[in-house]
Amino acid sequence: MNFIRNLLLGLWYILTSSYIKGLIGQALFTFLGFQFLNLLLPDNLSEFSLMIGAIIGVIGFLLFAGVLTDWLLWIGGKETPLKHGAREGRPEWTRYLGPDVNHKVIGIQYGYTSLFVLLVGGLFALIFRLELAQPGMQLLDYQQYNTLFSAHGIVMIVSILLGVGAMLNYLVPLMIGASDMSFPRLNAFSYWVSIPAIVLVLTGMAVGGWDTGWVGYPTLSLVGPLGTMFFLLGFYINGISSIAGSINVLVTTATLRAPGMSLFRMPIFVWAALATSLIQFTATQTIAVALTLNLLERATGLVFFNPAQGGDPLLYQHLFWFYSHPVVYVFVLPGLGIISELLPVFARKPLFGYKWIALSSLGIALVGFLVWAHHMFVAGMSDTLRIVFMISTLFVAIPTGVKFFSWVATLWEGKIELSTPMLFVLGAISVFLIGGITGPILGTVPTDLHLHDSYWVVGHFHATMFGGFIFPFFAGLYYWYPKITGHMYKEALGKLHFWLMVPGFWVMSFGQMSAGIMGMNRRYADYDPALGIETQQVLVTLAAFVIGWSVLIMIYNFIASARTEPVVSMNPWGSRSPEWQIPSPAPEFNYDVPFEVVGDPYDYGLDKPYIRFQVVAGD
Amino acid sequence: MSATTAEHAVEHAVEHAHDAHSHVPPYHVQLKSNRMGLWLFFISEIFLFGALFAARFYLWHVPGVGQTRPELSQELGLLATTVLLVSSYFVFRGETAMEHGDRSRFLNSYMMAALLGLVFFVAVVVMEWNVFGLEGSIAGIELFGHLGIDDGVYAGVFYAMTGMHALHVITGVLLLLFVWNRGRKGDYSPERHWGVEGCALYWHYVDVVWVFFYPALYLIGTPWH
């Protein structure tokens, strides 16, 4: 009886959670907003009415989910102290169902949302990979194919941004010794505003889809079906989450570090978080402009990009890539930070060249702002600009190379322990190397002219994303899983995951690049059998399924281990980092006893402490 | 040595679990965070307005002619700019009054700034955009703009830049009114008035953006149609 009662109660909590309330609010406000504006505005502006209605819908989501409650009370002049813990009389897990202000709860919310969205985006990829396994059209029509590959792109990008949010939110305050972020409510807002953004993108698939890819280039995006509008808007709303979240990380790191933690004594991941946030909080605004202008041109007929009416489509591409190139460094910098963070722990050696790694993150962020037009070598830019951007692009190799050499030097003669997180770190390095050395070929104008828009680009990009984000993210998930749950994951399943995913990825990557060299275009639903790439296409599809299954194994591992596996010791990896010197899961306010930094973070094998807990008076 | 110290300290902490209040950062730290957060937001917004600014110079450039601009009412532009600059003075006056504890002067100044902000908004949206399609003139000066949606990139850039700025102005007006309302209830003191300070900073920022937008829209380049 008790079991059934608990089950029903649990269902009730989920049905009345902020996710469901928010969705109801979004649907209701979108409908009402659209109807109201439709009454006011002339008929030819009905898409504009729908667009504004959808924006009102996002506000509806936030209102109904309770994200704005505290701020609305402030406006009325009421004090609203931060609430901690679950609502009275409810189990602890219900905290995750609503806007909670604790950075660890928000980090975990980011994390499971990221994994869920990753599965959705992966499913899209598997469907259109099945279509590509043979020439001719078997499963899908062209419009469905276009919608699926476009949605795969943007959904995966949202998933990665959420994953970055997960790592930054969970780890940065713990690593610097803060009890929470500087702006806990804004932190909750950053997470919750991304949910209606995902809803908008998925709605776009239901109302006609879109065929522009994730880039949304005009003029195609100006004439595409209604789904294009929802896609652009969802992309836009997600940017709000990025900006608010990154400002929070920057301020937290600047003001709430533990005593003695100078910049060069921070854990290296915090440097990566800083570099990522610096890109996110600035560059995101320019894509906001690109998307705003695109939406306005679609919905109201104002002219910016349509050359037939005096506009210039290149302007969109400049504004778009000014964000979208740096944003790939937003994706990979936290991942590279995780690699640098974990290597010394599992090699039991100091991190080689700490300062160089720290500064190379900033270097990548800076150079990343100066290379955007290398995506436009065939777009009709001037020859001079091509040369300038080719040179600046090749400069990216310098700070990236610094990281590679430091990793190799850290591993050199280390006592390497090959548990799952370390395996994923090594896998990340191997895969990121593939992505890295295939890049200069695309960054060089003469070779890019041949490979542009080919499957080579697909191969290169997936190698950088898997090596720079997916593998390190999974490494981080395994590594901090005991910290998050207090239980150890099943090591055998973790190793199985790795040994399926790494060869799977190598096959996929080489298959994609080989198909590209032999003439396969990216974004094409079909190909000529005479190209002789059917073997590669089948292999890539099979490899994609292997990767998909291996990710499911990881998720099973995480769910099952949280209930069954034994409680871990306080510091299972023998890490020097402050978050491992406190119980797992971390207490509500992290450090009940504050610590001060008295040494360097990565002096493994040397008998020098990193932190010292302050002695409490009356001890 | 460090490990044992650490574990000892943790055990100690578990015994003497602290209450939530000791984990809230002290006011001066939170104030520092608030200021930094707002300034970072301003830097972020430079990229928003900067991208629009760049788009204007990109799209209003006619090969062989150079920079151009649409035919706009110089009188309206000058009026709106003046009103906005004067409003910034009142915000400054209000904030200084709050620092000196002069509540009524603070309240009057903020209300005045909000009203001037509204006047600016009306001058841009009702008069220059002419959303209601009105006609009229005073002493030979046209009161309502003529730029229509079908005026190509001139309409596009003009509406996008003034629209994005007007959105910030109306947000600022709302903030001024919220702060005014809380001030009326006696919420701020000369020592603690972050709401007053942050709102003033935001208003000055929106004002400075217009200082760049006004010449870009009204003054630079040859009139072109």
Side-chain angles (χ1 to χ4, degrees), chain A residues 74-76 179 182-183 251 254-255 281-282 285 289 302-304 310 312 314-315 581 583 589 591-593 609 613 619, chain B residues 2 6 9-10 12-13 18 20 23 30 33-34 36-37 40 44-45 47-48 58-59 153 156-157 159 178 182 185:
Chain A
W74 281 6
I75 290 172
S179 59
S182 283
F183 311 115
V251 175
T255 58
F281 95 104
T282 50
Q285 294 278 12
V289 170
L302 288 170
V303 180
F304 304 100
D312 189 340
L314 275 187
L315 174 65
Q581 320 306 328
F589 300 104
Y591 299 94
D592 289 323
V593 178
F613 284 96
D619 195 19
Chain B
S2 66
V10 168
H12 181 86
H18 290 211
H23 294 282
Q30 190 63 46
S33 299
N34 289 351
M36 184 183 280
L40 287 177
S44 171
E45 295 266 283
F47 282 75
L48 172 75
Y58 194 98
L59 288 176
V153 290
V157 171
Y159 283 122
F178 294 155
R182 288 194 61 165
K185 294 178 181 173

Side-chain angles (χ1 to χ4, degrees), chain A residues 45 73-79 82 84 179-184 236 243 246-247 250-251 254-256 280-283 285-286 288-289 292-293 296 300-305 309-312 314-315 318-319 322 369 570 581-583 589-594 607 609-614 616-619, chain B residues 1-3 5-14 16-25 29-30 32-52 54-56 58-59 148-161 164 167 178-179 181-182 185 187:
Chain A
L45 286 179
L73 289 174
W74 281 6
I75 290 172
K78 287 205 177 58
E79 290 295 326
L82 289 169
H84 294 278
S179 59
D180 205 331
M181 299 285 259
S182 283
F183 311 115
Y236 180 91
I243 294 169
S246 52
I247 289 181
L250 288 171
V251 175
T255 58
L256 297 180
Q280 250 185 324
F281 95 104
T282 50
Q285 294 278 12
T286 62
V289 170
T292 309
L293 301 187
L296 282 177
T300 66
L302 288 170
V303 180
F304 304 100
F305 306 129
Q309 293 167 286
D312 189 340
L314 275 187
L315 174 65
H318 279 298
L319 292 174
F322 191 82
F369 272 104
M570 195 190 278
Q581 320 306 328
I582 52 172
F589 300 104
N590 299 342
Y591 299 94
D592 289 323
V593 178
D607 192 22
Y610 176 37
I611 61 168
R612 184 187 299 137
F613 284 96
Q614 288 165 7
V616 182
D619 195 19
Chain B
M1 166 248 166
S2 66
T5 318
E7 272 165 33
H8 178 74
V10 168
E11 278 163 25
H12 181 86
V14 173
H16 302 82
H18 290 211
D19 61 331
H21 289 291
S22 64
H23 294 282
V24 176
V29 174
Q30 190 63 46
K32 193 174 145 198
S33 299
N34 289 351
R35 284 186 180 142
M36 184 183 280
L38 190 60
W39 278 100
L40 287 177
F41 176 69
F42 291 160
I43 295 172
S44 171
E45 295 266 283
I46 287 176
F47 282 75
L48 172 75
F49 292 116
L52 286 167
R56 176 252 176 263
Y58 194 98
L59 288 176
I149 267 183
D150 46 0
D151 282 326
V153 290
Y154 291 101
V157 171
F158 182 78
Y159 283 122
M161 286 175 79
M164 191 57 87
L167 194 66
F178 294 155
V179 169
N181 184 41
R182 288 194 61 165
K185 294 178 181 173
D187 270 0

Side-chain angles (χ1 to χ4, degrees), chain B residues 85-116:
Chain B
L85 289 178
V86 172
S87 77
S88 234
Y89 162 73
F90 278 100
V91 165
F92 174 73
R93 182 172 177 262
E95 194 196 348
T96 314
M98 174 43 80
E99 280 165 9
H100 290 88
D102 187 345
R103 184 174 305 277
S104 64
R105 178 184 273 226
F106 147 69
L107 288 174
N108 294 338
S109 305
Y110 266 43
M111 182 49 84
M112 191 66 197
L115 289 177
L116 288 172

Side-chain angles (χ1 to χ4, degrees), chain A residues 17-23 61 96-97 109 112 191-192 195:
Chain A
S17 70
S18 289
Y19 292 99
I20 305 289
K21 284 188 205 156
L23 286 178
F61 183 101
Y96 297 94
L97 298 176
Q109 286 176 326
Y112 64 66
Y191 166 71
W192 284 93
I195 305 293

Side-chain angles (χ1 to χ4, degrees), chain A residues 185-202:
Chain A
R185 290 183 191 82
L186 186 68
N187 202 17
F189 170 84
S190 312
Y191 166 71
W192 284 93
V193 78
S194 67
I195 305 293
I198 297 166
V199 173
L200 283 175
V201 170
L202 296 180

